[in-house]
Amino acid sequence: MSTLLLNLDFGEPPPRKALEGNAKHQKFVKKRRLLERKGFLNKKQQPPNKVPKLHSEPSKKGDTRKVDGTWKAPPLPKKKTAASSSGSEQSLDKKAAVPWLTPAPSQKAGSVVAKVDLLGEFQSALPKIESLPIRPQKKDSQKNPPQKTAPQISTQAHSENKYPGASQKMPTKMVAIDCEMVGTGPKGHVSSLARCSIVSYSGDVLYDEYILPPCHIVDYRTRWSGIRKQHMVNATPFKIARSQILKIITGKIVVGHAIHNDFKALQYFHPKSLTRDTSHIPLLNRKADCPENATMSLKHLTKKLLSRDIQVGKSGHSSVEDAQATMELYKLVEVEWEQHLAKNPPKD
């Protein structure tokens, strides 16, 4: 029997399975890298101790952060096959026709600017809808009445502008005035106002007051004026009476007989265009069968044209009676005299 020699090595030989496993693993890694380069597979993530990443690196869109600080990328979309490409091309073309359905260019996730841009692109692509006019509520319409139209406002403004001009040329109100004077100054030759009466167009008394002159009264002229000493006890001072009288006659047509004497006593000048002096109206003299250029007394004209006696007796004249008679005389020739003045306006 031959002897059998055995060469035994009691050292630990490398495990066969481990060597085979390393070879298979190497082949697997080569195939995986090949697929990764072609884009079929994502790159295999390595443990953080081998491939460390900075925490300050910005994350990509869709990445999810792990607990240990690394980022996990989502799987890439699978490529479409040729069979499905024909059917999907039509749907892509339809989507491309609508601009607001096309995806926006990729931007960094997490940035506010990207979100704003995406929202702006989406809103700008939406169809624009014209806003309907808001109807006013009933409550507001009741509180705020509708404004006047332009023609109404212009017409009203025209009438308002027209009225003041007409009132200055031809005021609707007309008054008659008569004054009684007393003598003041040296020997009483200065005529001072002692009574004034104003009546309306219809003859109603608007003002009738005794007036205290600023100077000492020398002659009361009672025979003509009807003024006595007792009338001056509670008489109105001249300055106060003058302001009251001017408030009444200013801007109105004033009728009077020899009215320049009344204005002189009032220390006032009234526009000639608003003055009607019955002592200088030729039509009155013609109606009374008197010379046209003559200055007739109020007593004579009243007797002739009104068949009434005034200024009679020793008690003196009544300024109210004289003012009423003056207005009645003017009414007799008002239409004709105003037409004459319209053609021949007096110069102030």
Side-chain angles (χ1 to χ4, degrees):
M1 175 182 271
S2 61
T3 61
L4 179 63
L5 296 176
L6 297 174
N7 187 10
L8 298 175
D9 187 1
F10 293 97
E12 295 181 356
R16 187 176 180 181
K17 292 181 179 181
L19 294 173
E20 293 176 358
N22 290 338
K24 291 181 179 180
H25 180 69
Q26 290 177 2
K27 291 179 181 180
F28 173 77
V29 170
K30 290 180 180 179
K31 291 181 179 180
R32 183 178 180 85
R33 288 180 181 175
L34 179 62
L35 294 174
E36 286 176 354
R37 284 196 298 270
K38 291 183 178 182
F40 290 101
L41 293 176
N42 294 332
K43 291 183 180 181
K44 184 178 181 181
Q45 293 184 354
Q46 297 180 359
N49 55 357
K50 292 183 179 181
V51 185
K53 289 186 179 182
L54 297 176
H55 294 287
S56 61
E57 183 180 357
S59 61
K60 295 183 180 180
K61 185 177 180 181
D63 292 353
T64 57
R65 188 172 184 177
K66 293 183 179 180
V67 180
D68 55 356
T70 60
W71 298 90
K72 183 179 179 181
L76 293 174
K78 295 181 180 181
K79 287 190 175 182
K80 297 180 180 179
T81 59
S84 63
S85 62
S86 61
S88 62
E89 284 178 0
Q90 296 178 358
S91 61
L92 290 175
D93 293 338
K94 292 181 180 179
K95 292 183 179 179
V98 184
W100 59 278
L101 291 177
T102 56
S106 61
Q107 295 181 0
K108 291 183 179 181
S111 62
V112 181
V113 179
K115 294 179 181 179
V116 174
D117 292 340
L118 289 173
L119 181 60
E121 290 179 4
F122 179 77
Q123 291 178 350
S124 62
L126 290 175
K128 295 183 180 180
I129 302 174
E130 297 182 358
S131 59
L132 297 175
I134 300 173
R135 295 181 180 179
Q137 298 179 359
K138 293 182 179 180
K139 294 182 180 179
D140 297 340
S141 61
Q142 292 177 0
K143 293 181 181 179
N144 300 327
Q147 297 181 356
K148 295 182 179 179
T149 57
Q152 293 177 352
I153 295 173
S154 62
T155 306
Q156 184 179 4
H158 178 70
S159 62
E160 290 178 356
N161 295 334
K162 186 178 179 181
Y163 181 74
S167 62
Q168 291 178 1
K169 295 180 180 179
M170 184 62 64
T172 56
K173 293 186 178 180
M174 184 179 296
V175 295
I177 189 172
D178 188 78
C179 298
E180 302 295 340
M181 275 74 76
V182 294
T184 59
K187 299 181 181 181
H189 293 306
V190 179
S191 296
S192 298
L193 184 64
R195 185 182 179 184
C196 181
S197 299
I198 302 174
V199 298
S200 64
Y201 184 82
S202 58
D204 299 327
V205 179
L206 302 177
Y207 185 87
D208 183 25
E209 293 290 337
Y210 290 100
I211 300 168
L212 180 64
C215 302
H216 177 68
I217 300 175
V218 177
D219 187 2
Y220 284 94
R221 303 177 185 176
T222 306
R223 181 180 176 182
W224 298 278
S225 66
I227 305 298
R228 291 175 174 82
K229 189 175 182 179
Q230 60 267 25
H231 293 150
M232 295 293 103
V233 176
N234 297 322
T236 305
F238 173 76
K239 290 183 179 180
I240 297 175
R242 181 177 181 273
S243 63
Q244 294 173 350
I245 295 167
L246 296 185
K247 286 181 181 179
I248 298 174
I249 67 175
T250 301
K252 296 182 178 66
I253 293 178
V254 182
V255 182
H257 194 84
I259 197 171
H260 60 279
N261 294 324
D262 301 327
F263 290 151
K264 185 178 180 180
L266 281 169
Q267 299 178 8
Y268 170 72
F269 176 80
H270 199 67
K272 290 183 179 180
S273 58
L274 301 178
T275 303
R276 306 293 184 265
D277 192 346
T278 53
S279 65
H280 292 88
I281 298 180
L283 293 174
L284 281 175
N285 293 354
R286 191 185 306 167
K287 284 181 177 292
D289 297 329
C290 299
E292 292 184 359
N293 296 328
T295 303
M296 306 302 298
S297 65
L298 179 62
K299 181 179 179 179
H300 182 76
L301 292 175
T302 304
K303 180 65 175 178
K304 279 281 189 179
L305 299 176
L306 301 177
S307 302
R308 189 169 72 234
D309 293 327
I310 60 171
Q311 301 177 356
V312 293
K314 296 181 180 180
S315 59
H317 303 173
S318 172
S319 55
V320 174
E321 186 180 42
D322 291 353
Q324 291 174 343
T326 305
M327 181 62 78
E328 292 180 16
L329 289 173
Y330 171 76
K331 288 181 180 180
L332 295 176
V333 293
E334 178 182 6
V335 176
E336 297 177 3
W337 187 243
E338 291 300 332
Q339 291 177 355
H340 172 76
L341 293 178
K343 296 178 180 178
N344 305 295
K347 295 181 181 180
D348 293 335

